[in-house]
Amino acid sequence: MSCTIKKDLLSEGKTKKIYITNNPLEVLIHHKDCLTALDGVKKNFLQDKGILNNEITTLIFQFLNSCGIQTHFIRKINNREQLCHRVNIIPIEFVVRNIVAGSMSKRLGVKEGISLSSPIFEIFYKNDKLKDPLINDHHAVFLEIISYEELSTIYNITSKINHIIKKFFLEKNIILVDFKIEFGKDYKNNILLSDEISPDTCRFWDKKTMKKLDKDPFRTGLKEKEEVFDIYMEILKRLNVS
């Protein structure tokens, strides 16, 4: 295994930094100690939160890789960083909803907690200036950020991911309410699951108590940031139980 050398900062988002390496086809993703909500309007520093998200994402992506899902994840480098295939991120957030919650509940005036007979897929245009608006397939193709064929491919992959991780989490007594994922293209134009899967990007509820096990309590102001850390730690503990 060749030695990976972290070089210049490539980009920085709300919760992660991405560095180029001595291999032009690989990057290092560094998880920061930032807790954000409401498109970054609400944010706070949370000591060691990046360590938890790095470990949680590592465990989930390793599992998805073992299930045949192609991801950008290669291996964990240290407690904050992962080595990943370098991709060009498609500027769309793909959201899968298994239970009515969050913005869907508010937008449609539907009570939170209603289970859906089949998952609902939504896409959001990743554009900070426009505050990541909800769009449809035709908007996405019109904006020339993706093709109908690529959308079909990604929806198929996303459906498989939902099926796999719903069962995976349920075995840990965790209900996967909804989640956001992103995809990118590698140098061969392969579409790879990218970014992260963590309590930052998912809604988790405890199977028995329906307690929220994600950052929703921080988003709504019902919990302090320290209590959210304990929630993230609980997710990690459950994932580590075989």
Side-chain angles (χ1 to χ4, degrees):
M1 186 181 297
S2 60
C3 179
T4 299
I5 300 174
K6 181 167 72 174
K7 301 178 84 171
D8 296 334
L9 180 68
L10 178 64
S11 63
E12 182 173 1
K14 299 181 185 75
T15 61
K16 292 182 288 294
K17 293 180 180 179
I18 301 177
Y19 294 89
I20 60 175
T21 71
N22 51 313
N23 184 334
L25 301 180
E26 297 174 350
V27 293
L28 277 179
I29 298 181
H30 175 96
H31 291 260
K32 302 191 295 183
D33 289 338
C34 295
L35 183 63
T36 68
L38 307 174
D39 290 326
V41 173
K42 188 173 185 178
K43 53 188 174 181
N44 217 320
F45 173 81
L46 183 55
Q47 183 70 42
D48 293 338
K49 179 255 189 179
I51 294 175
L52 294 182
N53 267 14
N54 185 38
E55 186 63 27
I56 290 169
T57 294
T58 292
L59 291 170
I60 296 171
F61 272 58
Q62 284 176 334
F63 175 69
L64 286 171
N65 281 341
S66 73
C67 292
I69 300 296
Q70 288 188 301
T71 80
H72 73 162
F73 178 83
I74 299 173
R75 67 179 184 273
K76 187 174 79 169
I77 296 294
N78 54 48
N79 65 353
R80 288 187 180 274
E81 294 176 330
Q82 302 169 356
L83 181 67
C84 296
H85 298 292
R86 185 169 180 172
V87 299
N88 291 317
I89 290 291
I90 298 168
I92 296 175
E93 295 178 346
F94 291 84
V95 174
V96 182
R97 301 187 183 276
N98 297 308
I99 296 174
V100 175
S103 63
M104 179 181 174
S105 173
K106 295 175 183 176
R107 190 169 62 243
L108 302 181
V110 179
K111 184 179 179 181
E112 186 171 274
I114 297 174
S115 294
L116 300 167
S117 56
S118 59
I120 289 178
F121 292 62
E122 297 176 340
I123 60 174
F124 294 81
Y125 179 30
K126 281 176 60 67
N127 186 310
D128 289 339
K129 291 182 180 179
L130 300 177
K131 298 183 180 180
D132 300 345
L134 173 68
I135 61 174
N136 62 35
D137 292 5
H138 306 299
H139 294 142
V141 174
F142 166 73
L143 291 168
E144 298 183 343
I145 55 181
I146 199 167
S147 69
Y148 285 116
E149 183 180 3
E150 289 168 337
L151 279 168
S152 179
T153 296
I154 290 176
Y155 284 137
N156 185 46
I157 297 169
T158 300
S159 181
K160 290 178 181 177
I161 292 171
N162 186 43
H163 177 75
I164 290 168
I165 62 175
K166 267 178 64 179
K167 181 181 177 183
F168 173 72
F169 284 117
L170 202 56
E171 291 171 349
K172 315 290 184 182
N173 289 316
I174 299 168
I175 296 172
L176 180 61
V177 176
D178 58 40
F179 62 98
K180 171 192 77 71
I181 50 178
E182 298 181 24
F183 293 86
K185 297 180 185 177
D186 67 9
Y187 75 104
K188 292 183 178 179
N189 225 31
N190 295 314
I191 293 175
L192 307 180
L193 174 66
S194 304
D195 195 45
E196 67 177 293
I197 296 179
S198 72
D200 274 8
T201 62
C202 304
R203 278 191 175 86
F204 297 128
W205 292 351
D206 180 81
K207 180 182 176 182
K208 297 178 181 178
T209 66
M210 304 304 280
K211 175 185 175 182
K212 294 182 177 181
L213 299 173
D214 50 62
K215 70 176 181 181
D216 236 10
F218 171 75
R219 184 185 287 115
T220 57
L222 296 177
K223 297 283 186 182
E224 296 297 324
K225 62 178 185 176
E226 292 78 11
E227 294 175 283
V228 174
F229 183 88
D230 292 337
I231 289 172
Y232 281 43
M233 180 62 79
E234 175 63 22
I235 290 292
L236 180 55
K237 287 179 180 177
R238 295 195 193 188
L239 293 183
N240 276 317
V241 175
S242 58

